[in-house]
Amino acid sequence: MVKKDKPDEEVLPHKLSLVPLLGRPIFPGIFTPVLINNPADVKLIEEAVKGEGIIGLVLAQKESERPLAEELFRVGTAAKIVKKINLPDGGVNVFISTMRRFRIVRTLRKADPILVQVDYLEDKDEDTAEVKALTRTLISEMKQISENNPLFSEEMRLNMVNIDNPGRIADFCASILNIEKTEQQKILETLNVRIRMENVLVFIKKEQDIMRIQKRVQNEINLKVEKNQREYFLREELKAIKTELGMAADSKSSEYARFKERFAQFAFTGEVADAVERELEKFNLMEPNSAEFVVTRNYLDWIACLPWLDSPPENIDLGAAARILDGEHYGLADVKARIVEFLAVRKLRRDNRGSILCLAGPPGVGKTSVGRSVARALGKEFFRFSVGGMRDEGEIKGHRRTYIGAMPGKILQGLKIAKSKAPVFMIDEIDKMGSSFQGDPSSALLEALDGEQNFSFRDHYLDLPFDVSRVFFMVTANTLDKIPGPLLDRMEIIELPGYIDAEKLEIARNFLLPKSLEKNGLKRGQVTWTRDSLLCIANGYAREAGVRNFEKNLDKVHRKLAKRVVDGLESAAGSGAPAVGKFLVDKAAIVGYLGKPIFPEGECKKADRPGMSVGLAWTRLGGDALIIEAASVAGKGGLTLTGKMGTVMKESAAIAMSFARKLATERFGVGEKWFEKNHVHLHIPEGATPKDGPSAGITMATALLSLFLKKTVRPGVAMTGELSLTGRVLPVGGLKEKTVAARRNKAKRIIIPKQNLRDVDEIPDIVKEGVEFHLVERFEEALPLVFDGL
């Protein structure tokens, strides 16, 4: 309530005890209650009531438990205590009548209670025409705000109209508007009535703008709510009408019914049943136009499409499996036997858990096609995917469905495509997986392949246990050294060796030629290939372990023949002459079709001077002959290695240097001064090709010893074996491929470690034909075979 009368200045004391205000300043001319809780302020009120009852109210600059005198604003309001009511908690509620503004002139006491000397302030320019106009505007604008705001009571509206002082009207408006306390303090400190009213009008306009925005937002929300409610009732009415008329329900209802029926067939239990029921009910309550609707529908659709039911028991016919493998693959007798044995164990156990086969071998030897044949022999669906270059574990285990575009990993995708709980999965290039900040795919794959874990495989997208233990997993790799140890430990390794020329010839006749002729539109009777022409391609254009390049060269020849057939048909149509009929492809024609051989016939790697030796190496494309060269130049001793050697090969070279030097000085009388005055350089040609491994140890030692003794290695000798620092020759791998490379290089003698005798017995006789094996246990045993006169 607002006070109309104004006491004279003489009545008000010039020394006031102050009550600090922490909330907002209190303006003159107001009758209002004030709650006092601070014990010091309560005591001040008690003393004031005993006296004249006049106190000073000043706003604190910062909120603190008990502000000091210097922490108060300099302008405040004098007020008279009209009534005091004691509260149960020790505080008091006082009703005050505010009187005049004052400014603190001097602080008489800084501590509680704060005592100051004050001067009372008068309003300025309060009786001008401009002020009168502002008064009317102020009252009009406040009426507009109060009419639309239920917080303004009728008593507040009447008080505002009954105030006849322009300054008091501005004070009253400032006290009831939602303004920051610092802005209210500025208005309290403004003595010019015109400026004070203009400032208050600015805040009134801001309040009106906020109210307009609030009203618009509220109207928009109300419209949306009304629209959604109306649409909901209309949809429910439409459903009821369609049900009465026997019409089809909407797409959401049909989807819900489809999911319900499908899940009833699966007869879920436990965690899966609870999760499916929860998602299904959520789907039923969702609006089709909501963002979450599509996510939930896709999730339920994936669950509905997965093969949850058990597959029928396997019926493995070993005879049929052997016939399928023989009919689709030439050679590979050991591989086929291993696979048939594996299937026999599977049939006896009647349990396919832990079935993981790893087919390891060079590219193009038929690893993937063997997997297809196994699936055909078992009568199962076949699904293949490659993990080469994969760095994200989400590709295996999926991504959480909170991500946009999330979907399950390759394991569940394959099960959905195969529509079977027990298909054959072929995982290609498992040795080429990587890892990154997105995770380690090999670790995710381990959970899917491990028979102790995969009966409850949990995909990130599905987030439900799914049994993948019935899946027959087959993986392929070119090399085994890059497969993580825990993953390799769970696999049955079957190695597929490379093919020799005779095997490539039979594969071309029985498989590649018919396939290539059909692919290029030619008939089997149109093209005749001679044996020499096929061998020419195998030796001159496709020496790798597999037959992929062999097939590419056949396709290249057949494309040229297809063009000649088309040209002949066009010419015959124009001239009436007979078209070109049949073609004979012999060895002479191959050069015309394919150009000069990549590997010229008769080009052999020979050690024809001191410091050279011929070694045998295994590469991912098969075996290869390797020339090693050693030379010496005047210098201070030491060894230089070139030819892009790996770490292991560099270590083997250092061992070969130490052993050859020791052998040359102790056994053959080469003086130490020679090593002090000569610098040795060891090089492996084809320097752009990376090389690594320990199997060139004895080859490098032979080249170095040949340099030190100035003796040339006997022609037709090749060798392989790891060399120890004491001269022992240690076993190596890939002996079959190395033997093929030796024959291709026209080597008659092959020096190999004695511990590789077992591998020699496993090499087919057709590969060993014309080659003499010499098994050595120490390097010294190879000297009479390598050098004349030793």
Side-chain angles (χ1 to χ4, degrees), residues 314 342 346 349 351-358 378 423 425 448-451 454 468-475 490-492:
E314 293 179 349
F342 187 86
R346 187 181 176 99
R349 288 184 59 194
D351 180 15
N352 55 5
R353 292 196 176 185
S355 303
I356 309 170
L357 282 183
C358 177
L378 291 171
F425 268 25
L449 298 183
D450 189 359
N454 60 10
V468 297
S469 64
R470 305 286 177 185
V471 179
F472 187 173
F473 286 104
M474 301 183 71
V475 302
R490 288 163 171 80
M491 299 177 186
E492 177 75 18

Side-chain angles (χ1 to χ4, degrees), residues 23-161:
R24 294 172 177 271
I26 298 178
F27 288 85
I30 305 295
F31 185 80
T32 182
V34 178
L35 186 64
I36 307 293
N37 287 321
N38 189 282
D41 291 339
V42 171
K43 185 177 180 182
L44 186 151
I45 295 296
E46 297 288 350
E47 293 177 357
V49 169
K50 292 177 183 179
E52 297 178 353
I54 306 297
I55 59 173
L57 304 174
V58 183
L59 181 67
Q61 297 179 8
K62 296 180 181 179
E63 291 191 9
S64 61
E65 187 174 350
R66 192 62 187 165
L68 300 174
E70 57 267 20
E71 296 176 337
L72 302 177
F73 284 100
R74 308 312 293 172
V75 175
T77 304
K80 182 175 179 61
I81 299 173
V82 178
K83 187 176 181 180
K84 176 179 77 70
I85 299 174
N86 293 324
L87 299 177
D89 60 354
V92 294
N93 192 5
V94 293
F95 289 86
I96 59 171
S97 173
T98 56
M99 301 176 181
R100 299 279 297 280
R101 286 175 169 81
F102 66 79
R103 178 178 283 108
I104 298 173
V105 178
R106 186 158 58 96
T107 301
L108 301 178
R109 186 168 56 237
K110 295 182 179 180
D112 291 334
I114 300 173
L115 184 65
V116 297
Q117 182 180 344
V118 300
D119 279 345
Y120 293 97
L121 306 175
E122 292 288 344
D123 288 345
K124 300 177 181 177
D125 297 336
E126 59 179 351
D127 195 21
T128 63
E130 199 172 348
V131 169
K132 292 179 181 178
L134 283 170
T135 303
R136 292 180 182 178
T137 304
L138 201 63
I139 294 173
S140 174
E141 296 293 338
M142 283 300 295
K143 279 184 179 179
Q144 184 179 347
I145 291 178
S146 64
E147 287 173 359
N148 296 323
N149 194 334
L151 297 177
F152 285 84
S153 64
E154 188 63 31
E155 185 181 358
M156 293 171 67
R157 297 189 187 98
L158 290 174
N159 284 335
M160 182 175 58
V161 174

